[in-house]
Amino acid sequence: MSDLYTDPLGTATLAAKKISELTGKNSHHVALVMGSGWISAADSLGTPTHEFAATDVPGFLPPTVVGHGGVIRSYDLVGPSGPIHALVFLGRTHLYEGKGIEPVVHGVRTAVKAGCKVVVLTNACGGINRGYTVGQPVLIRDHISLTGVSPLIGADFVDVTDLYSKRIRAIVKKEDPSLSEGVYVHWRGPAYETPAEISMMRTMGADLVGMSTVPEAIAAHALGAEVLGISLVTNAAAGVTGEKLSHEEVIAAGKAAAGRMGELLGKVLPQL
Ligand code: 8IG
């Protein structure tokens, strides 16, 4: 096994150093993980100063899913007091790929080691809440983990009461007061849920379901970063409408909402 599995934090430190060499920037300020459907939203952030394959950086695996990028970009955003260095990951590794939890959280650990104090996690997900419509962005207020898998090992008893930063959610809602907040369930996949499982999740208090974000939020928070999670509802969860779920539908809904999402991120990121 590679260093990533025996020494995940050491590998993240190496990766951060490599990013600093590739970009010529000593540190980055905010990180943005773009999930499936969000990749085109990154284009609204302007022109990156640097772009490279994630596999050029220690510890990153090649992407395995259509529409999940495997690319890292560095942007200089215009902040209130000088340029903000934003590190943007197009695509992520998921638990369902079967590579373990370490590759899943390697991006956010690398980002924190690169200096990021804020980590923005985006995803495409199924809507459990009957009030949601396809193409709607929802801020993650809290989560339920149904995978039982943590990125943390050992007696690392971190408090996760305010995992999805209230401070940052307030900033985003000031930009867009129409945004809803919801509880996101992490489901391992790769099979979607049955209608009975969705009904269970709704009873538990869940609004959104997806196959990412939760381990990254925990890993970033455990290293001291503030986390913002935004889900794009790209399909009604199983049994909600009677329609079947398709990956193509997800990609299409993401493309359709990308403009609004990119604009929102562009406004919010420099304020974080
Ligand atoms: I996009 O309906 C997307 N990702 N688990 N269920 C789960 N993950 C998803 C879904 C969904 N839609």
Side-chain angles (χ1 to χ4, degrees):
M1 284 217 257
S2 80
D3 276 338
L4 177 64
Y5 295 95
T6 54
D7 184 13
L9 289 178
T11 308
T13 304
L14 274 181
K17 213 173 137 222
K18 177 77 182 191
I19 288 172
S20 160
E21 285 166 20
L22 288 169
T23 60
K25 300 173 194 177
N26 272 333
S27 70
H28 281 78
H29 306 114
V30 302
L32 185 53
V33 178
M34 302 303 248
S36 56
W38 284 79
I39 288 175
S40 26
D43 295 333
S44 328
L45 295 175
T47 308
T49 58
H50 300 80
E51 169 171 315
F52 38 90
T55 49
D56 290 347
V57 181
F60 286 87
L61 304 175
T64 59
V65 183
V66 183
H68 294 200
V71 165
I72 301 174
R73 290 180 183 164
S74 176
Y75 288 82
D76 283 349
L77 304 177
V78 182
S81 48
I84 308 266
H85 297 161
L87 194 57
V88 178
F89 298 86
L90 302 187
R92 51 156 62 92
T93 300
H94 296 81
L95 205 51
Y96 60 69
E97 292 172 47
K99 308 270 171 55
I101 193 67
E102 290 81 6
V104 173
V105 296
H106 184 55
V108 297
R109 282 179 168 156
T110 295
V112 178
K113 294 294 181 190
C116 297
K117 300 272 193 281
V118 169
V119 172
V120 180
L121 303 170
T122 69
N123 64 55
C125 73
I128 296 174
N129 187 316
R130 297 183 194 280
Y132 293 163
T133 51
V134 166
Q136 176 179 358
V138 178
L139 299 184
I140 301 178
R141 173 168 52 82
D142 203 346
H143 79 226
I144 297 171
S145 171
L146 286 185
T147 69
V149 178
S150 174
L152 309 180
I153 293 172
D156 196 356
F157 305 118
V158 300
D159 177 274
V160 285
T161 312
D162 188 28
L163 183 46
Y164 301 92
S165 165
K166 265 206 180 77
R167 180 188 79 87
I168 298 179
R169 278 185 278 138
I171 293 172
V172 180
K173 284 202 290 191
K174 224 167 122 199
E175 277 310 323
D176 186 348
S178 75
L179 283 171
S180 305
E181 294 194 344
V183 173
Y184 177 95
V185 181
H186 186 204
W187 180 254
R188 180 191 183 276
Y192 291 119
E193 302 71 29
T194 63
E197 285 159 347
I198 292 300
S199 162
M200 170 191 77
M201 290 171 181
R202 188 180 293 114
T203 303
M204 289 171 134
D207 301 295
L208 309 155
V209 58
M211 304 179 195
S212 69
T213 304
V214 165
E216 294 152 280
I218 294 171
H221 180 78
L223 292 178
E226 260 188 300
V227 174
L228 170 69
I230 315 180
S231 287
L232 182 66
V233 178
T234 52
N235 60 274
V240 174
T241 63
E243 300 279 315
K244 288 210 177 184
L245 276 51
S246 82
H247 186 59
E248 290 67 33
E249 171 194 26
V250 166
I251 301 288
K255 282 209 175 107
R260 179 181 173 196
M261 297 299 87
E263 197 183 317
L264 179 67
L265 292 173
K267 279 193 208 145
V268 166
L269 284 182
Q271 302 180 48
L272 302 182

